[in-house]
Amino acid sequence: MEDWFAEAKKIIPGGVNSPVRAFGSVGGTPRFIREASGSRITDEEGRSYIDYMASWGPMLLGHGHPAVVAAIREAAGRGTSYGAPTRLEVEMAQRIVEAFGSIDQVRMVSSGTEATMTAIRLARGFTGRDRIIKFTGCYHGHADSLLVKAGSGVATLGIPGSPGIPGPLAELTIALPYNDTAAFQEAIRRYGSEVACVIVEPVAGNMGVVPARPGFLETLRETTREAAILLIFDEVITGFRVSYGGWQQACGITPDLTCLGKIIGGGLPVGALGGRREIMERLAPTGPVYQAGTLSGNPLAMAAGIATLDILKGADYAALEETTETLCRGLLDQFKGKGIPVRINRVASMFTLFFTDGEVTDFETASRSDTKRFARFFQGMLAAGVYLAPAQFEAVFVSFAHTREDIARTLEACEKALRTL
Ligand code: KE4
């Protein structure tokens, strides 16, 4: 592995094409993965791991699902990209519109970043206002306006914002503490008439998993509606994961725009922006807000995504939640038995194990976690054959491919890892 990493670092910044993959916050050499199947990934040295990274979320069906691979193969046999409308894009849009009551129209893009970047441009174009509100620790991809007090890799790497973002642009982004309705209402009192949108992860996944407190999302919805501000749910992680209709179906709150990604591409590059017709129609070519993409709606990504959604439509989400709860309960029991303070925040099949004894309700409390102890735990689990997300401020994902046996083996691995803590 070291030789691959040494070679990679010569010709790829940090040896990776996305910073969080570099094991920066957990140390050691990242595993170069050769293949994956079901709940397992295998590295270049032939070592297999029970995988809870799920490629940062997309692999809800597990890796290499036969129906998804077959769909990609079949599509590839007809060419890989046309740059013209296809039946598959309509079928994908039909599925998203049917699953999300808040969505009348969908625009496909090639990443979650493109989806959120387009969403805030559309909100600014629709309202004629320039400011946006986000929440510290939430990560919405790396568009300039959103890389302000972001989570995920930015939080993990301790990058305060990022060089390269013009001050005047960053100043238009108001970052508030997640779950703090008072701070939000104060910001609306002061800037409300200048704010185009509020963008939020309805279940935060990028400061580690942090659920919205009861009343938080409701306050965002009521206040933005009164102030004619657009509410954007960034469901790139939660869309089709926490339920087939995302968190908005689970919590019964209707945003004005929704960003999707990850799962809807079945592991191929994808993102999507959806919302009310009167807003979406402002997008070119029907409206003046420009957005475009050479590979948007790529036929292979659509085929993989459609195959994935068609399986998820009938999937037993309750059973997946139960599997995840069994794993979390088992982990908690083991840590309690050793007297090691941990907190687990879990929503559906995503969770984070924080090495802290306090409640984790926002980025500030998440940051109190003992990230060094997390790193030792991560390495101990990896050595025992379990691949968690290589960063404290990320989510762990259970898939429909994880078996009872996988859960048992994961708990055995935890027992071994605990000895290193
Ligand atoms: P992408 O541009 O990485 O496809 O999506 C950006 C994005 C948007 N919104 C949310 C809620 C997200 O979680 C993400 C991306 N997630 C990170 C990790 N949590 C992707 C992993 C990485 O950066 O390599």
Side-chain angles (χ1 to χ4, degrees):
M1 220 66 68
E2 286 68 17
D3 50 355
W4 274 109
F5 198 34
E7 175 60 19
K9 282 192 282 192
K10 284 185 211 146
I11 50 181
I12 303 170
V16 291
N17 284 311
S18 199
V20 279
R21 302 177 189 172
F23 277 25
S25 67
V26 293
T29 301
R31 297 290 182 268
F32 279 64
I33 302 304
R34 181 179 64 207
E35 60 188 308
S37 173
S39 60
R40 292 288 191 290
I41 53 175
T42 302
D43 67 22
E44 283 296 338
E45 287 165 5
R47 268 195 303 268
S48 285
Y49 308 86
I50 301 173
D51 176 40
Y52 290 99
M53 259 264 297
S55 178
W56 305 94
M59 310 321 294
L60 179 56
L61 293 181
H63 294 283
H65 190 289
V68 177
V69 173
I72 296 169
R73 281 209 174 97
E74 198 275 328
R78 291 187 274 112
T80 53
S81 179
Y82 318 121
T86 62
R87 171 177 56 80
L88 289 171
E89 289 159 273
V90 178
E91 290 173 1
M92 170 60 85
Q94 284 169 336
R95 284 161 175 77
I96 293 173
V97 166
E98 190 202 340
F100 284 76
S102 67
I103 296 179
D104 299 329
Q105 288 198 325
V106 191
R107 170 60 53 88
M108 298 309 299
V109 292
S110 297
S111 69
T113 293
E114 276 188 85
T116 57
M117 174 176 75
T118 305
I120 58 172
R121 181 182 309 136
L122 179 56
R124 285 169 161 158
F126 183 77
T127 61
R129 301 172 181 175
D130 291 340
R131 289 190 190 280
I132 66 170
I133 289 178
K134 73 176 289 287
F135 296 91
T136 302
C138 285
Y139 176 73
H140 303 290
H142 61 90
D144 283 352
S145 288
L146 292 168
L147 263 191
V148 174
K149 294 190 183 168
S152 182
V154 178
T156 301
L157 304 180
I159 304 172
S162 163
I165 298 172
L169 181 63
E171 276 152 32
L172 292 174
T173 300
I174 301 164
L176 301 170
Y178 195 76
N179 274 324
D180 187 336
T181 45
F184 172 71
Q185 284 167 330
E186 175 52 28
I188 295 293
R189 245 193 302 283
R190 286 186 61 187
Y191 299 106
S193 61
E194 303 165 44
V195 174
C197 61
V198 172
I199 185 166
V200 65
E201 291 182 64
V203 176
N206 288 292
M207 47 185 117
V209 174
V210 175
R213 271 209 192 108
F216 178 61
L217 297 175
E218 291 77 358
T219 303
L220 298 191
R221 179 60 289 179
E222 277 150 41
T223 310
T224 50
R225 187 175 281 123
E226 281 155 22
I229 295 170
L230 296 189
L231 178 60
I232 302 170
F233 270 14
D234 178 349
E235 297 224 42
V236 168
I237 288 181
T238 54
F240 295 97
R241 173 169 286 278
V242 295
S243 87
Y244 190 73
W247 189 248
Q248 56 195 270
Q249 179 186 64
C251 73
I253 294 176
T254 304
D256 298 300
L257 291 172
T258 299
C259 302
L260 297 169
K262 296 183 192 274
I263 289 167
I264 64 170
L268 270 66
V270 76
L273 167 66
R276 293 205 315 264
R277 181 182 306 284
E278 63 168 331
I279 306 171
M280 293 299 290
E281 285 187 333
R282 296 293 180 85
L283 278 178
T286 44
V289 179
Y290 198 69
Q291 177 277 335
T294 302
L295 296 174
S296 296
N298 171 271
L300 272 62
M302 296 300 99
I306 288 165
T308 300
L309 298 191
D310 287 355
I311 295 165
L312 287 176
K313 190 133 195 316
D316 187 347
Y317 279 85
L320 178 61
E321 173 139 20
E322 230 169 271
T323 304
T324 312
E325 176 57 21
T326 304
L327 174 58
C328 290
R329 200 182 299 284
L331 292 170
L332 268 180
D333 290 349
Q334 291 196 23
F335 278 98
K336 220 174 275 167
K338 291 277 178 189
I340 297 176
V342 294
R343 282 280 173 148
I344 293 185
N345 283 355
R346 177 186 71 77
V347 174
S349 59
M350 58 193 275
F351 71 91
T352 297
L353 196 147
F354 294 95
F355 283 84
T356 181
D357 51 5
E359 246 201 309
V360 179
T361 56
D362 57 16
F363 185 61
E364 199 265 323
T365 46
S367 304
R368 293 185 199 147
S369 308
D370 181 341
T371 51
K372 290 197 175 25
R373 188 167 240 181
F374 174 86
R376 287 199 300 278
F377 179 63
F378 172 84
Q379 293 296 350
M381 291 294 268
L382 195 65
V386 174
Y387 197 116
L388 300 172
Q392 171 66 82
F393 302 119
E394 294 292 350
V396 169
F397 296 108
V398 181
S399 81
F400 283 101
H402 284 88
T403 63
R404 228 187 287 276
E405 160 71 10
D406 289 330
I407 302 306
R409 297 222 2 222
T410 304
L411 293 174
E412 284 161 23
C414 181
E415 241 168 280
K416 284 192 200 127
L418 279 182
R419 289 180 214 131
T420 67
L421 290 194

